[in-house]
Amino acid sequence: TMIQEKIESTIISGKKLPKPISYICKYLDENNYLISGFFELSTIGIDDMLHWFRKNPHAVDELIPFGRGACGDVYCLWLTNGLCPEDAPIVMFGSEGELLVLAKDSKEFCKLLCLGYSEVGLEDHTVAGKEYSKTEKFRDYIVGIYNFELPETGEFIIDQANKLYPYFKTWVEANAR
């Protein structure tokens, strides 16, 4: 897809986006926005991430940025411990310095996007997303591909990811500024 090619052209390692993210790209090529709330796919690229890692610029080699939020939050695949993009968790670098692990992989991130949070990384995930009805078209598309059960809230998806990757913030701080 066109959007996928643009994002992949920013990946220095030459790695490809995982299948679930490429499905989001395909959806966008065919339907335009809205995916979920203010979440957007983005060609932000590694160069834009370097300001987080002045201490160790090579740390960005473990990240593949692919999305943005309304306030400039950046969503990335985190290739920790040599994980391939398909198995990598989704992390968020918040514009106010928030460092969050949102999903254990991109398939779980798609579930989170289906739940209708306007700011997928920055909301109370113990309650249902207020934009749920607006994400119906995207939700039908993703559920049509994966046929998975969606939880009512994002709490379990995020808790599960944080149990698997509790060291994200420590990793960023060890390599940052």
Side-chain angles (χ1 to χ4, degrees):
T1 67
M2 290 172 12
I3 293 166
Q4 182 173 350
E5 287 166 10
K6 286 178 186 164
I7 294 172
E8 287 178 345
S9 75
T10 69
I11 304 171
I12 299 162
S13 66
K15 289 185 167 73
K16 299 291 178 209
L17 290 172
K19 204 85 181 132
I21 305 297
S22 60
Y23 285 133
I24 300 172
C25 294
K26 185 177 187 299
Y27 174 84
L28 211 54
D29 283 338
E30 294 168 5
N31 299 283
N32 265 324
Y33 287 100
L34 179 93
I35 298 171
S36 178
F38 296 110
F39 174 78
E40 293 183 358
L41 291 170
S42 172
T43 54
I44 177 171
I46 285 300
D47 293 347
D48 298 295
M49 294 304 297
L50 284 170
H51 73 275
W52 281 88
F53 297 100
R54 292 200 185 106
K55 190 164 149 194
N56 178 11
H58 294 290
V60 297
D61 296 346
E62 289 186 45
L63 297 169
I64 297 177
F66 68 88
R68 292 204 90 141
C71 305
D73 313 311
V74 179
Y75 296 83
C76 299
L77 292 150
W78 180 32
L79 310 175
T80 181
N81 299 325
L83 287 174
C84 68
E86 224 45 65
D87 299 326
I90 305 298
V91 296
M92 187 191 94
F93 291 80
S95 59
E96 304 292 320
E98 305 91 344
L99 298 168
L100 306 169
V101 182
L102 295 177
K104 71 175 184 175
D105 58 32
S106 50
K107 196 169 169 182
E108 289 293 297
F109 183 67
C110 282
K111 278 187 190 176
L112 199 56
L113 288 177
C114 287
L115 300 180
Y117 294 103
S118 54
E119 284 289 350
V120 74
L122 299 170
E123 284 189 43
D124 178 356
H125 295 97
T126 62
V127 298
K130 292 177 184 73
E131 309 269 320
Y132 188 79
S133 61
K134 292 183 185 171
T135 60
E136 184 177 9
K137 191 173 181 181
F138 176 74
R139 183 170 46 255
D140 289 349
Y141 168 78
I142 289 294
V143 171
I145 292 167
Y146 286 113
N147 198 25
F148 46 43
E149 292 291 314
L150 290 173
E152 293 201 10
T153 70
E155 186 177 24
F156 177 76
I157 294 169
I158 292 172
D159 286 353
Q160 181 187 41
N162 281 281
K163 282 186 181 97
L164 287 169
Y165 302 101
Y167 51 91
F168 175 60
K169 195 172 182 175
T170 313
W171 175 78
V172 173
E173 288 165 354
N175 291 291
R177 306 197 168 104

